[in-house]
Amino acid sequence: MTGSTILYGKPIAEATENEVRRRAELLRNRIGRAPRLAAILVGDDPASRVYVRNKEAACQRAGLESHVHRLPTATSEEDLLSLIEQLNGDSNVDGILVQLPLPESIDERTVLDAIDPTKDVDGFHPLNVGLLAQGRPRFVPCTPLGILELLRSHQIDVAGCHAVVVGRSDIVGKPMALLLAQRRPAIEGGPANATVTIAHSRTPDLPTVTRQADLLVVAAGQPRMITADMVRHGAIVIDVGINRVDGKLVGDVDFESVREVSRAITPVPGGVGKLTVAMLLRNTLSAAEARAAATSSAV
Ligand code: NAD
């Protein structure tokens, strides 16, 4: 066995929660209420229910208020849009998130576009995506933000490295690639200035591409697809995948074989997943702080 470092998310998630709790308390003393997240869950997808419960519990631990709007699968797009409109106009709501996926009868894009961009704590609104693309992010999507935080905490400098991101989703792959390539780090002292390749389901000869990576981020949703022979010796490997195989959670990386060749690797569970929720808390707090600052300067 080589000395691959295991990059655990939990200590960083806990430190983030503590910091959010401290700042949320300060804000509450100032404005008389805690930062507030409104979450919308449509339908009864079991994984989504677990994710939303975890988010609620994390809010509670960090001193944020959360309210989950649980709607039946048969909810119409119109009704969902009118709930969003109501939350957009509610000055006591700082952050809004719609748990994905939505039932097929509802157009995801239309719904995400309807969220007030200043309350879009998931960072999926086109305005926030555009700001991120231009290197002046407001809300960075939580999973890529957690990965930046993980790399910063472990003092992993990616400047000049070749980063390969496997996956091009709007939620993980695309924002991750943009963030790693940017000149100015999205978080102070965080990673930036990597040379980035995006690989996806139509990439021919994926192993040749992944073997070029100094930093390999995998968000494909394919259990254990990245094996040791696809990884350069000494690479840093970030596994975003969450797949259930025979009742067990596994990543997109074959952890046991890849840890033998990598310099550092995230486990699943216990790696990136822990950070995603912590970053949601941070984005919600930032939304509340920005709202409070805008309100006080308007008086
Ligand atoms: P997605 O299905 O939207 O996108 C998957 C991407 O992977 C696509 O762009 C596709 O082109 C690419 N891909 C699929 N098969 C491939 C293959 N064989 N070779 C190369 N590329 C391939 O998924 P997503 O929302 O980006 O999520 C990806 C994974 O990350 C899933 O397992 C998801 O559960 C997990 N996830 C984890 C967190 C977390 O907090 N850890 C957050 C979001 C998503």
Side-chain angles (χ1 to χ4, degrees):
M1 163 121 20
T2 56
S4 183
T5 305
I6 313 289
L7 305 171
Y8 293 104
K10 198 173 171 195
I12 304 163
E14 282 174 356
T16 304
E17 267 186 38
N18 290 338
E19 171 67 7
V20 169
R21 191 182 311 108
R22 193 185 62 78
R23 277 167 50 192
E25 181 68 32
L26 287 177
L27 189 66
R28 191 167 46 176
N29 291 340
R30 198 147 61 81
I31 66 170
R33 66 168 180 84
R36 184 173 187 142
L37 175 70
I40 304 176
L41 173 63
V42 187
D44 50 13
D45 177 63
S48 293
R49 280 161 60 167
V50 173
Y51 291 143
V52 167
R53 254 204 322 271
N54 289 345
K55 290 169 187 177
E56 258 185 305
C59 281
Q60 204 171 15
R61 285 195 304 273
L64 309 190
E65 273 177 33
S66 65
H67 183 79
V68 181
H69 299 261
R70 292 185 166 81
L71 307 178
T73 311
T75 301
S76 67
E77 189 173 298
E78 198 187 351
D79 284 350
L80 179 53
L81 290 173
S82 78
L83 172 60
I84 290 173
E85 202 179 324
Q86 181 202 317
L87 296 170
N88 283 344
D90 184 340
S91 58
N92 287 323
V93 170
D94 301 298
I96 301 172
L97 83 80
V98 176
Q99 185 64 42
L100 302 177
L102 287 168
E104 272 176 17
S105 55
I106 299 178
D107 183 55
E108 195 172 288
R109 205 57 278 168
T110 306
V111 169
L112 297 179
D113 286 3
I115 296 174
D116 176 343
T118 66
K119 298 187 178 189
D120 169 39
V121 286
D122 265 337
F124 297 157
H125 189 282
L127 185 66
N128 289 322
V129 175
L131 289 172
L132 173 65
Q134 291 185 343
R136 45 186 188 134
R138 173 166 48 195
F139 295 117
V140 175
C142 300
T143 301
L145 182 59
I147 294 169
L148 296 185
E149 201 50 72
L150 185 86
L151 294 170
R152 172 170 72 174
S153 299
H154 287 273
Q155 292 167 344
I156 295 173
D157 184 10
V158 306
C161 287
H162 187 178
V164 173
V165 178
V166 182
R168 58 178 163 190
S169 71
D170 292 341
I171 293 171
V172 189
K174 270 189 225 159
M176 187 77 255
L178 280 170
L179 288 160
L180 291 170
Q182 262 161 17
R183 187 156 64 90
R184 212 150 39 100
I187 55 172
E188 210 186 311
N193 292 299
T195 301
V196 180
T197 300
I198 303 179
H200 46 76
S201 53
R202 304 284 179 92
T203 299
D205 194 6
L206 184 67
T208 300
V209 178
T210 56
R211 273 197 295 268
Q212 291 169 28
D214 303 305
L215 171 69
L216 179 60
V217 181
V218 192
Q222 305 291 328
R224 301 189 183 108
M225 67 173 280
I226 301 293
T227 45
D229 58 311
M230 298 170 75
V231 177
R232 171 187 277 190
H233 207 90
I236 290 152
V237 181
I238 308 292
D239 188 355
V240 184
I242 301 179
N243 310 286
R244 196 168 282 278
V245 177
D246 300 330
K248 207 177 143 213
L249 286 188
V250 299
D252 290 352
V253 174
D254 181 39
F255 182 81
E256 292 307 330
S257 74
V258 172
R259 72 184 290 192
E260 300 287 334
V261 295
S262 56
R263 170 150 75 90
I265 182 168
T266 59
V268 177
V272 173
K274 288 266 177 241
L275 291 166
T276 297
V277 177
M279 295 305 130
L280 173 70
L281 301 178
R282 187 191 279 176
N283 279 351
T284 304
L285 174 73
S286 303
E289 288 175 339
R291 179 164 306 278
T295 310
S296 66
S297 69
V299 172

